[in-house]
Amino acid sequence: MKMAAFLVMLVMSVSALGACGQGEVKERVEDTVMRTSNEQKEKSDKEQRAEKIAKDFKEVKGAIAYDTEDELVVAFHVTQYQKFFTEKIEKKVKKALEKEFPDEKVVVSHDLKIRLEIERLRRDVEQKNISEKELEKRIEKMKTLREEKA
């Protein structure tokens, strides 16, 4: 009798916990889809072209670009095996981007910190919760991160 009561309580608690947050997951997924589609609209043509050029290299797994007033910053990550050759790949990507954008100062990096900073910066710009002063400050931070790597 005790075992049957225990099983009934267990089944009821599992089903009650399983019903929690039914609509939440769907809302989060829809929110993520909207953010992703909005990101595509917010990128400039130059940033999209730069990302495509970087991703066209078979060694590059993903890339993100940000166009500031005085330079085009592109950060990328490579496939697992290619991590041994990141400096060489960085030079190839930079050469291709400089060829595509001759009058633009191109900065290319494989550093994770810079890639994450570009993603955060773009997200904050899209959500419009960053001031012009804060934007300049974050761009300067990116520059110091690049110098730190060298």
Side-chain angles (χ1 to χ4, degrees):
M1 184 65 183
K2 286 183 181 181
M3 186 64 143
F6 175 74
L7 285 175
V8 169
M9 292 298 288
L10 181 66
V11 168
M12 289 177 57
S13 61
V14 169
S15 63
L17 289 175
C20 292
Q22 284 292 330
E24 263 182 56
V25 175
K26 186 176 180 182
E27 288 173 14
R28 279 188 270 152
V29 169
E30 287 174 358
D31 184 40
T32 304
V33 170
M34 288 301 291
R35 276 198 318 246
T36 306
S37 62
N38 287 342
E39 279 179 22
Q40 299 302 323
K41 294 175 189 169
E42 294 293 325
K43 289 182 189 176
S44 73
D45 182 49
K46 190 185 293 186
E47 291 171 345
Q48 288 177 348
R49 284 191 352 229
E51 287 177 11
K52 182 175 178 348
I53 290 169
K55 288 178 186 175
D56 283 345
F57 287 91
K58 67 179 183 207
E59 302 96 343
V60 176
K61 191 174 181 180
I64 187 166
Y66 192 80
D67 186 24
T68 64
E69 290 178 14
D70 55 344
E71 61 190 9
L72 177 65
V73 182
V74 179
F76 66 91
H77 59 286
V78 295
T79 57
Q80 187 68 30
Y81 174 73
Q82 299 298 329
K83 289 186 188 248
F84 299 111
F85 310 106
T86 51
E87 298 293 327
K88 192 179 213 196
I89 296 166
E90 192 172 302
K91 288 178 185 176
K92 285 176 19 181
V93 171
K94 183 171 181 151
K95 187 175 180 182
L97 288 169
E98 286 175 339
K99 185 177 179 183
E100 180 71 23
F101 306 106
D103 21 329
E104 187 83 31
K105 180 181 176 192
V106 177
V107 178
V108 178
S109 176
H110 66 276
D111 193 3
L112 175 65
K113 292 183 284 186
I114 294 173
R115 194 173 80 228
L116 291 174
E117 187 60 34
I118 291 173
E119 289 173 357
R120 286 187 202 116
L121 185 63
R122 183 175 286 149
R123 183 187 63 231
D124 290 344
V125 167
E126 286 170 1
Q127 294 174 351
K128 295 176 178 55
N129 57 351
I130 188 169
S131 66
E132 196 67 33
K133 187 176 179 181
E134 179 69 21
L135 180 65
E136 292 298 321
K137 194 180 195 183
R138 301 263 298 267
I139 290 171
E140 284 301 315
K141 181 182 176 188
M142 246 190 320
K143 288 179 183 179
T144 58
L145 285 174
R146 285 197 317 263
E147 292 165 5
E148 187 179 289
K149 181 191 88 164

